[in-house]
Amino acid sequence: MSVIPILILVSLAFASAFLAAFFWAVRSGQYEDTSTPSLRLLGDDGPRTVSDPEPKSSPLHHED
Amino acid sequence: MLFCCAGCRAVFELLRGSGLDSFYSMQEAPGRPVSRAGDLESFRYLDAPTVRERLVDYSDECLTRVTFRLPDIHCVACVWLLENLFRLNEGIGSSRVHFARRELSVSFDPRQVRLSDLAALLSSLGYPPDLTLADLGERRRRPEARRLWLQIGVAGFVFGNTMLFSLPAYFGLDSQSGPGFRTLVGWLSLALSLPVVGFSASDYWRTAWNSLRLRRMTLGVPIAVGIAALFLQSAVEVVSGRGEGYFDSLAGLVFFLLCGRVFQQKTYDRLSFDRDFASFFPLAAVRFRAEAPGDGAAGPARREERVAIAQLEVGDRLLLRSGELLPADARLVEGDARVDYSFVTGESVPVSRERGEILFAGGRQVGGAIEVEIAKPVSGSYLTSLWNRDVFRKEKDDTFNTLTNRYSRRFTWILLGIALGAAAFWSVRDPSKALRSFTGILIVACPCALALAAPFTLGAGLRVLGRRGVHLRNAEVIEGLARVDTVVFDKTGTLTTPEAGAVEFDGSVLEGDELRAIAAVVRQSTHPLSVRLSAWLVERLPARDGVPTVSGFAEVPGAGVRGTVDGRTVLLGSPAWVADACGATKGAAESAEESRVRGPVVALALDGRMRGRFLLESEVRPDTDRLLRNLASGYRTILLSGDQARDHARFAALFAPGSALHFNQSPADKLEFIRGLQEAGRSVMMVGDGLNDAGALRQSDVGVAVVERVGAFSPASDVILDAPRVAGLGEVLRFARGAVGVVRASFLISALYNAVGIAIAASGHLSPVICAILMPLSSVTVVIFAVGTTHGLGRRTGPVRAQEVAGGSGSISAAIPALEREPA
């Protein structure tokens, strides 16, 4: 059964690596803005057709 | 290819159709509109050191970073374009958009690009930066969420690992592995728990300490006691070699508590709940500057320049164009002033002012351009003096008297009593069990489920309401809403819409001369209906070739107006009055009465003959009568308007009998009125929209600001409400009361679990396994119950579903894209 302590330490090391990755993600600001990256992805995608022929004005746009 | 608008797309299709589409491969940013010279000039004031210093986030010789609010960001293409700014100007390094906040951060080289260049570039691209006086004030930091995420990460990591370590012990699998294994696991868990106790739980230590220092019992105290008891008992067990402790329960407890806090935190990035007048004023105004006399012209030539408002001095001459705000109290020098004070005083009709009269800051010029001379410094105006009052100095303290804290005050004393009682009992019967039962009770009764009940219920409520256009400052506001017993409404902009509805004429076609005569007569009257008719008529008149004179004008209060123009008698007023005056049949008057449901009707008679009627769409918000009927049972409703009392009869009919209607209230009057109600023991909700309500909103227990457009200015408040949802306030209040009921029920559930746990612990039989089962079980049931019931409550309460508000495209919920909302 002496393998168990080693396995425990190995698993702890792996888990710590994930924790470190999480720390890096938080510190690099990935949790601050969760909406823009999804839009950025679309913009990098090269040519894209505009499916909506309506003039898209600002969200301030009013309809009566 | 990405297009910013349909116009650009049309141009592209035209060019491609003509085989000219290689235009788009010839340069990096095709079709970029040329920045107009005037644009650059109008942003020049940004380069003034005092302004620049306050605006930029960071600056040295070769790098400057600045963040602009660009309310016009609305789609993927905007993000793409704005993040490619560096291709348009070499001096620009990088730019990042924060879509939810509609913000752009730009880094640029100050040697190549000035701040004004950047603002002008953005403006020429169609994204004029939103610059207000508040940008020059102190920076408000947004609450940092990073720390909380890190705390959760640590707690979750430790929770998972210690639970894994403990499982063999729980299942009795460690019997063969010997005492060495237990010691290893015990010490490892102890080591892992240190960051949980020291870092993840640090906020709970602080809360508990603050509560003790202020001698106020809050939920933080029993939580801290529970964590301390768990940790110390476990540490003693491990160090003394008697067991492996409750470290998994400890980490689990902290992890669940932190999850509750994350769930409760729902922020609306585009909304700001703490704005003052400074966010309402623009950053700059147009000032006249006298120059040396020009080439023989009479008098000194004058140049217009844009300056920051902070730099304005008494005596400066300003140019105010139509639609612009007056930044300071000023004297009218030149031009025809028609000032709209609706936002500042609640006065619904623009007022005309003569030369030499004082115009108050915050008024919006709606006539032509005027020239004014500043009479008082910006900070000393009539409007801003409201913010010097005491209410604005202190922070609203709504965290102490929450339901949870009131409950936990009783809870903590009972808990301590039981723990001490058990310890006393066992110290007589079996002293070895005394300490164990004491700490056991503290551990098992640790109010995890109790602490989770309110965050999850109120957090779920916050989201349910947010999807319906009711945006709360924080989750505690729901409790405030549930306590409300008096609802005070502002009139202008709250119960009425700022844009007057459409006007229709029903009758035989009117000739140009007739129109002109009618327009001349209504111009004489200041009645709101006359003002609206006048505005409508002016648009329809072919040319403004002088206004004919009116003779024999008379206004009959509550009936109508009469006047003679070029020998033609014009009679306008209530259908009954006009019909009576013409001796027309009663039927005509009655059919007019029918259409009154839609809004006011003004009948017209020319030369004693009925010609038809003007149908004015009501400016009172639709369903206001339903709202007030809803509130009549259970709430006291009061109207508090800064406007004149001419609408008294109309609103008296809308409000429940016996409701108080107050008109001509100054901003300070409103504040005092609310304070008076509170002193009489009422819990007051104020619903308002303008700066004139700012004091009342702040003073009230729950301040509700009504906004017409997303991102539009709203005074500091607890709730920001989409204007079309005003009618649903009754349902919102009902929902809040229901949600507080759910919190109470959750308390009951957690109390039942506690009773079971305490019974086990008091008998001295608490083991880590029982603790490890009981604690997550109680937490999870309470969370599921709280969230599930609150959502069910949201579905049952009220017809204010998002999709049911027709024409809500201008509302906040419609404008915030689906991706910002939570899945149902």
Side-chain angles (χ1 to χ4, degrees), chain B residues 711-726:
Chain B
F713 172 83
S714 61
S717 59
D718 302 303
V719 182
I720 293 181
L721 183 67
D722 276 9
R725 313 301 171 94
V726 173

Side-chain angles (χ1 to χ4, degrees), chain B residues 523-601:
Chain B
R523 253 179 74 103
Q524 306 291 317
S525 160
T526 56
H527 191 278
L529 293 182
S530 307
V531 172
R532 281 178 59 192
L533 261 186
S534 174
W536 183 79
L537 287 164
V538 163
E539 276 175 34
R540 265 138 203 93
L541 283 175
R544 294 194 189 168
D545 41 7
V547 183
T549 47
V550 182
S551 60
F553 175 82
E555 185 159 359
V556 185
V561 292
R562 177 205 308 273
T564 309
V565 181
D566 300 337
R568 188 179 270 126
T569 313
V570 179
L571 206 62
L572 278 160
S574 72
W577 182 70
V578 175
D580 203 32
C582 307
T585 54
K586 249 190 158 182
E590 266 165 18
S591 70
E593 283 302 318
E594 273 168 39
S595 60
R596 214 183 157 77
V597 260
R598 273 189 61 223
V601 177

Side-chain angles (χ1 to χ4, degrees), chain B residues 230-269:
Chain B
L230 265 173
F231 181 73
L232 292 176
Q233 169 79 16
S234 311
V236 166
E237 281 187 16
V238 166
V239 172
S240 65
R242 275 188 286 128
E244 62 267 21
Y246 306 82
F247 289 115
D248 54 336
S249 296
L250 167 67
L253 167 72
V254 176
F255 181 66
F256 286 132
L257 287 176
L258 291 172
C259 286
R261 276 184 43 201
V262 166
F263 190 76
Q264 200 179 13
Q265 273 182 359
K266 159 98 186 137
T267 49
Y268 300 102
D269 279 323

Side-chain angles (χ1 to χ4, degrees), chain B residues 489-798:
Chain B
F489 289 98
D490 166 51
K491 182 178 78 81
T492 314
T494 303
L495 291 183
T496 64
T497 49
E499 311 102 46
V503 178
E504 246 179 82
F505 182 69
D506 173 24
S508 50
V509 181
L510 296 168
E511 302 297 323
D513 272 358
E514 293 170 332
L515 277 175
R516 203 167 294 125
I518 301 164
V521 171
V522 289
R523 253 179 74 103
Q524 306 291 317
S525 160
T526 56
H527 191 278
L529 293 182
S530 307
V531 172
R532 281 178 59 192
L533 261 186
S534 174
W536 183 79
L537 287 164
V538 163
E539 276 175 34
R540 265 138 203 93
L541 283 175
R544 294 194 189 168
D545 41 7
V547 183
T549 47
V550 182
S551 60
F553 175 82
E555 185 159 359
V556 185
V561 292
R562 177 205 308 273
T564 309
V565 181
D566 300 337
R568 188 179 270 126
T569 313
V570 179
L571 206 62
L572 278 160
S574 72
W577 182 70
V578 175
D580 203 32
C582 307
T585 54
K586 249 190 158 182
E590 266 165 18
S591 70
E593 283 302 318
E594 273 168 39
S595 60
R596 214 183 157 77
V597 260
R598 273 189 61 223
V601 177
V602 176
L604 167 70
L606 288 175
D607 294 327
R609 208 160 56 80
M610 284 288 272
R611 284 299 296 273
R613 44 190 221 249
F614 293 98
L615 308 174
L616 287 83
E617 214 160 77
S618 175
E619 78 275 32
V620 174
R621 287 189 197 284
D623 287 338
T624 300
D625 49 340
R626 188 176 62 82
L627 164 70
L628 292 169
R629 248 198 334 271
N630 252 346
L631 293 177
S633 57
Y635 297 93
R636 205 170 135 194
T637 48
I638 295 169
L639 181 76
L640 203 58
S641 174
D643 206 355
Q644 292 161 32
R646 60 190 154 226
D647 285 342
H648 190 283
R650 233 165 96 224
F651 281 91
L654 279 172
F655 275 76
S659 302
L661 274 66
H662 300 273
F663 290 90
N664 288 316
Q665 300 283 309
S666 78
D669 290 344
K670 289 189 173 186
L671 196 160
E672 290 305 330
F673 184 84
I674 303 280
R675 201 205 304 273
L677 282 175
Q678 285 171 328
E679 275 161 10
R682 318 286 306 189
S683 184
V684 187
M685 174 162 100
M686 172 75 202
V687 190
D689 74 315
L691 286 169
N692 60 326
D693 304 314
L697 288 172
R698 181 80 190 201
Q699 175 70 39
S700 61
D701 297 277
V702 181
V704 179
V706 177
V707 288
E708 288 291 330
R709 288 181 293 111
V710 62
F713 172 83
S714 61
S717 59
D718 302 303
V719 182
I720 293 181
L721 183 67
D722 276 9
R725 313 301 171 94
V726 173
L729 266 179
E731 283 80 13
V732 170
L733 288 171
R734 208 162 67 215
F735 174 78
R737 289 194 170 174
V740 167
V742 174
V743 176
R744 289 221 169 87
S746 310
F747 284 172
L748 197 69
I749 296 178
S750 81
L752 286 178
Y753 275 113
N754 269 332
V756 173
I758 288 174
I760 298 173
S763 63
H765 289 102
L766 184 70
S767 71
V769 192
I770 294 174
C771 197
I773 293 171
L774 206 57
M775 201 171 288
L777 186 68
S778 65
S779 303
V780 169
T781 13
V782 164
V783 165
I784 290 176
F785 172 77
V787 176
T789 322
T790 310
H791 278 281
L793 191 70
R795 270 191 291 279
R796 267 187 295 122
T797 343

